Amino acid sequence: MKKLSFLFVFFLLIKPLWADEGMWLPFLLKQLNEADMKARGMKISAEDIYSINKSSLKDAIVSFGGFCTGEMISDQGLLLTNHHCGYGQVQTHSTVEKDYLTNGFWAMNRAEELPNAGLFVRFIVRMEDVTTQVLKDIPTQLPENERQSAINSRIAEITKKAIEGTHYEATIRPFFYGNEYYMFVTETFTDVRLVGAPPSSIGKFGGDTDNWMWTRHTGDFALFRVYAGVDGKPAPYSPLNVPYRPKHFLPISLKGVKMDDFTMVFGFPGRTTEYLPSQAVDLLINETNPHRIKIRDLKLRILDKEMKASDAVRIQYAAKYASTANSWKKWIGESKGLKKFKGLEKKKIVEAEFANWVEADPNRKVQYGSLLAEFEAVYQKQRSVNLSRIYIDEAVQGIEFMRLASRLSGFGTKPIDKNDPKIVDFRKWTKDFFKDFNFQTDQKVFAGLMKLYFENTKAENLPASLKEKHAQMKGDWDEIADSFYSQTLMSSEEAIQQILDDYSENNIDRLLHDPVFALFKEIQAYDQAKIAPVMKETNDKIDGLMRTYLRALREMQTKRKFYPDANSTLRVSFGQVKNYTPKDGVQYLHYTTLDGIMEKEDPENEDFVVPTKLKELYASKDYGQYGVKDMMPVCFTASNHTTGGNSGSPVINAEGHLIGTNFDRNWEGTMSDVMYDPDMCRNIAVDIRYTLFIIDKFAGAGHLVKEMKIVR
Ligand code: ARG
Ligand code: GLU
């Protein structure tokens, strides 16, 4: 008895080493995770989450445009995602007169729903392990590029066969750095219409100030509707299309959240790198992040000034600003977190263990003996071009004209017919580009970012034209920028369209003599000669080493359950509703309420304006069925392991019902893309009760709630 209770206490003390960490593959849940999930309180089965024989939760989940997640919440194709995921669409439909960003948008009937060119949602029909087929007879020692082309042709065969006679698509992706390959058969709908979005003062409440932070009070949600042809199959936009009937949609629970309740997040996390060696973490926190942050810091300051000075620029640059600021802030949090959590030291400890493990066995020595040294050498080499890569990607490509030039340069220097599909496509792209482009703003960005590029690039690698002007104008960057911008022929949509109308020798020649275009070409030539090849060579090498390293780690840590890094494929994370202690002496609650919105209100600060209607509802405590007595819940935190792309993902309870929409992570936990800490890493979700309250009571769109299946 004594021994038993000792054992019991012992088990309580050592918490499972990788608790809550992981983004799992839905079709492997039964085998890998179901028991853990049930132990945490899940009442449904792995088969209810993913099944190929019957409808399951996965049939309600979509990749929203390839960058976010959405979920079906009615049998009429109603889709819930984040406000920041639909932000681009809301912005596209907005003008200074009809400003849906500021005022919100609500379709009061189906006819008012707004189509969105270019937007798609993608369902997963099924997934399957195709490792054996993909890797059959491919020698392990093949050079990386030969291996890749052999694999690519295998993939082409397998996917072709998988979708024969259907309207589906199939993709095969590497997992664990190419130790495994899984196939995804998908169905893509392109008629996706905007149904509703709250005003930014709700959907983006807290703005960039609160972004990546807890406590949070953002009603970050938007509604769309998926339409299909009358046969229920995907069809391009047509007024004759009908709402899509999904195989499954999520019932919505109004029961709310308590500490330690089971939660899972089902969605499309984009990219994580949890298994990096110490050299990569070192490069990230000591070089890559600090420089990227510095460049964006400046860009954001320039844009902010321009946007404050003009309403038109504010609308044009709203989405661009938000996405620039989003990564910028994440990198700051990530670096801080990794340093505080001693990420680098932890990697080194694992590597020391690894070295011992290899040393202990002659066979391992043959297979893995040189691995750590090879990592060291290849990162050393990558380090020699890393800064240049960053300054080209972030500073040069951070200038919109440089991106335009980059697209244009893709056409090469041979004439192309104006009806060529490439040209036709590019016409559309140019139209969108100039809709949200301000010449003076970009000129200011050029002055700022080119200066940084100039200062952080070795003189011998700088474009001659830039050095010349710099000398001529004595380093006055406003003047330098003006000399480029006042002479460019890329200045307007019309000018570009004219070139596209007649992409002939004459026009190509004019383009090549354009100062902005020529500058881009010089930088590109330098990149292609000196930077890109080293990057490619080292990245290929790293891929190969990582493949071996992961295979070895999985042999070494036999008790650990490994999950593959996120790669924009469908995953399940599970955990519990959890608060956390950000620092000594402080403990947060796991939820926030409308009280906090009133506390944060600041009419002088656009991030914290509270709409009058919301204040009235607060004053009268008119919360309908969504409040808990006189309390209106707004957001909550849980321990699900999530990343970019999980935005809009449903947070689902033990019964398989929707309780929230994931939209962010906490500041102290943004390092989880590189290293997850169960005590510190939290995802942040909008409480579904707040979402419904806003739809119903604030927007008066109760007809939408009637479509949903509400569980009390
Ligand atoms: N940080 C969240 C994510 O990575 C939210 C971003 C949108 N919100 C914002 N204030 N910019 O997407
Ligand atoms: N906001 C993120 C997104 O756009 C999700 C939060 C995260 O990175 O965890 O997907």
Side-chain angles (χ1 to χ4, degrees), residues 84 204 207-208 211-212 216 220 322 326 644 647 663-664:
H84 80 260
K204 211 187 162 200
D208 289 314
N211 192 21
W212 296 113
R216 197 56 161 283
D220 195 344
N326 193 41
S647 273
F663 71 100
D664 210 358

Side-chain angles (χ1 to χ4, degrees), residues 17 43 132 161 220 245 258 268 272 493 593 598 691:
L17 213 41
K43 305 244 168 59
T132 333
K161 234 168 111 196
D220 195 344
R245 290 185 152 274
K258 288 190 315 299
F268 291 86
T272 58
E493 189 188 336
T593 71
M598 301 305 145
T691 299

Side-chain angles (χ1 to χ4, degrees), residues 67-68 84-85 212 326 642-647 662-665:
F67 53 90
C68 275
H84 80 260
C85 296
W212 296 113
N326 193 41
T642 52
T643 187
N646 269 129
S647 273
N662 186 71
F663 71 100
D664 210 358
R665 270 174 290 164

Side-chain angles (χ1 to χ4, degrees), residues 398-469:
I399 299 162
E400 287 176 276
F401 259 176
M402 289 289 130
R403 277 204 303 124
L404 178 62
S406 161
R407 293 293 297 245
L408 265 172
S409 81
F411 292 127
T413 50
K414 294 225 167 63
I416 304 180
D417 188 81
K418 70 172 178 186
N419 295 319
D420 190 285
K422 276 195 303 241
I423 297 271
V424 176
D425 257 13
F426 188 64
R427 264 184 221 288
K428 275 192 259 152
W429 189 87
T430 314
K431 224 178 162 56
D432 292 341
F433 177 89
F434 279 100
K435 177 177 183 286
D436 289 336
F437 176 80
N438 181 286
F439 190 84
Q440 279 77 27
T441 301
D442 198 48
Q443 183 173 330
K444 299 222 165 84
V445 171
F446 181 101
L449 297 196
M450 265 305 164
K451 175 171 188 281
L452 285 186
Y453 176 66
F454 192 90
E455 290 168 353
N456 287 280
T457 305
K458 282 204 199 91
E460 74 217 54
N461 294 328
L462 283 169
S465 68
L466 201 59
K467 280 194 275 197
E468 226 168 80
K469 297 223 162 135

Side-chain angles (χ1 to χ4, degrees), residues 587-626:
Q587 186 173 40
Y588 285 125
L589 289 180
H590 61 281
Y591 67 96
T592 58
T593 71
L594 201 47
D595 291 345
I597 294 185
M598 301 305 145
E599 280 170 17
K600 284 181 178 173
E601 183 190 14
D602 178 0
E604 306 297 310
N605 179 345
E606 62 156 354
D607 286 349
F608 297 102
V609 174
V610 180
T612 315
K613 179 82 191 279
L614 189 57
K615 285 196 270 193
E616 286 165 12
L617 290 165
Y618 177 70
S620 61
K621 303 279 178 270
D622 183 6
Y623 303 150
Q625 59 177 332
Y626 313 112

